[in-house]
Amino acid sequence: MSQIPISLKQLESWSKLTFIQMLESSRNILDINPKQYELMLLELARDRRVDMTVDRKLYNWEVYKNEPVNGWSCQGWENNNWKTASFQKAYNTAVENYPGDWTPTEYLIEFFKDSLSMGQERQHGLGRAMRNLPSFFREYLLHALLEAQGCTVSIPTLEENLKEHADLYVDLSDRRITVWHYLDGPIGRENLEKKLHDRGKISKGLNLLAPMVEGQKTDYYGWWLPPKSWAAELIDICRNKKPLTWEQFNLQTDTYGFLPTFMYFEYP
C-alpha cells in the first residue's frame, strides 16, 4: 500500500456516526441485494453477545446498532471459529477502494461479499470479522509511531502473513526483527500461546513479543494504542538487547508464563 491507510482523524469521524448510519451510508452497500442485506442484519444480531455490557449498558444488537462507532464497536462479538473468507483481504480491498476515508462497515461488507462468493450459508463469521478489525489498522498506527522515532519499519504483505506470524518488521542495518503485538490479558495470552505452538509459522531468526498492558494504553475514541514510551522501549530492545535462545525462551515461559513485558528471542 502506498500510504498509511488509517489516521486519528478517521477515528474521530467514525465516532460521529452510529453503526447503522455508517452501514446504510457505505459506498459498497449496493453491491449486495436487499435480501442479502437483510441476511447480513440477521447475522449481525445473532453474533452479538447479549451478555456483553459496557458502562452498564446491555450491548445487544438493538442497542448496539444505534451506538457511535468507536473502539467498543469491535468488542462483544461471538468468536465463531468457522472457516471464513479472508479478513485481511476484505480489509485490503476496503482500504484500496476508499483510500484515506474507508469505514469499518465497508470492510465488513467486503468480507460478507467474499463469504457469499464462497457459497457459505449463514456461517459468515461477521462478529469475528469485527473482532479482528483493530489488529489490522493498529499495525499501521504503530508503524507511524515507530517511524516517527527514527525506526525503519515495514508491514508484512498478505502472503507473508499467511506464511508466518508477524505484525511488524523492524529493520536494522544488519538484521530484521519480527514483532508480535498483542493486548495483554487472558485472551491475548491464550491466542499468543496458540500461535507459538504453531511452530511452522514462527519466523526464523529474531522475534520480539510486544504486549500492550493496561497502564500503557492511550485511548483514542475507544481504540487503544501504546504511548511513545512503549515505542522507545521497543526500539531500544531491538538495537541493544541480546535475545534469548529458543531454549531459554521456552524455559522462561514454562516457568513463569507470558509476563506483561517485552520478550526478545531467536528462533532457530
Side-chain angles (χ1 to χ4, degrees):
M1 295 182 184
S2 59
Q3 63 175 349
I4 299 301
I6 185 68
S7 67
L8 297 182
K9 185 178 180 181
Q10 275 179 270
L11 303 186
E12 180 182 9
S13 67
W14 295 350
S15 71
K16 296 176 181 178
L17 293 174
T18 67
F19 187 90
I20 199 68
Q21 286 172 335
M22 183 179 285
L23 183 63
E24 291 175 348
S25 63
S26 296
R27 285 158 289 188
N28 54 354
I29 191 70
L30 295 179
D31 292 349
I32 56 177
N33 61 45
K35 185 177 180 180
Q36 291 168 336
Y37 179 65
E38 289 302 316
L39 173 61
M40 187 177 185
L41 292 179
L42 286 171
E43 293 200 9
L44 286 167
R46 180 199 62 194
D47 284 359
R48 284 302 297 174
R49 280 175 46 201
V50 296
D51 62 332
M52 177 65 182
T53 58
V54 179
D55 297 332
R56 300 181 182 178
K57 292 180 181 178
L58 184 66
Y59 264 46
N60 59 29
W61 172 246
E62 292 306 313
V63 174
Y64 175 89
K65 68 182 182 182
N66 294 309
E67 291 291 317
V69 179
N70 53 36
W72 293 112
S73 303
C74 296
Q75 299 188 32
W77 295 95
E78 293 291 351
N79 188 22
N80 299 314
N81 291 318
W82 298 319
K83 183 178 180 180
T84 66
S86 168
F87 305 121
Q88 182 78 57
K89 180 176 179 289
Y91 174 80
N92 288 351
T93 301
V95 167
E96 290 165 2
N97 287 351
Y98 313 106
D101 66 347
W102 65 277
T103 67
T105 52
E106 286 164 346
Y107 149 78
L108 199 62
I109 291 169
E110 291 300 329
F111 175 77
F112 186 62
K113 286 164 49 184
D114 286 346
S115 298
L116 292 173
S117 70
M118 293 171 63
Q120 296 174 332
E121 297 182 2
R122 297 189 61 77
Q123 289 189 355
H124 302 109
L126 294 175
R128 190 172 167 208
M130 284 300 295
R131 285 170 64 106
N132 281 18
L133 178 59
S135 65
F136 293 135
F137 69 71
R138 188 183 295 118
E139 293 166 10
Y140 291 92
L141 292 169
L142 293 175
H143 178 284
L145 183 64
L146 291 166
E147 274 205 334
Q149 297 206 29
C151 191
T152 302
V153 191
S154 58
I155 294 173
T157 63
L158 177 58
E159 291 74 21
E160 287 171 328
N161 253 323
L162 292 172
K163 181 180 177 182
E164 61 187 22
H165 294 300
D167 296 320
L168 292 169
Y169 295 126
V170 173
D171 293 301
L172 304 180
S173 59
D174 59 345
R175 59 195 182 278
R176 164 172 279 192
I177 298 98
T178 299
V179 177
W180 306 44
H181 176 262
Y182 64 98
L183 294 175
D184 184 61
I187 295 177
R189 294 184 193 184
E190 180 183 350
N191 290 337
L192 176 66
E193 189 169 3
K194 288 178 182 177
K195 290 178 181 179
L196 285 167
H197 284 157
D198 187 3
R199 297 188 179 184
K201 287 193 174 183
I202 300 177
S203 177
K204 290 186 177 181
L206 300 170
N207 289 263
L208 177 60
L209 307 186
M212 184 169 65
V213 300
E214 185 67 37
Q216 291 178 321
K217 294 173 185 174
T218 303
D219 191 323
Y220 293 95
Y221 304 98
W223 308 96
W224 292 331
L225 294 170
K228 291 181 179 179
S229 58
W230 180 93
E233 184 178 359
L234 184 149
I235 294 170
D236 179 65
I237 290 171
C238 290
R239 288 177 175 165
N240 303 312
K241 190 172 181 180
K242 182 180 179 180
L244 297 171
T245 66
W246 180 242
E247 291 75 17
Q248 290 170 330
F249 172 80
N250 278 306
L251 178 61
Q252 185 167 324
T253 53
D254 288 346
T255 304
Y256 302 107
F258 292 100
L259 302 175
T261 58
F262 289 100
M263 297 189 72
Y264 186 36
F265 67 93
E266 185 167 9
Y267 185 69

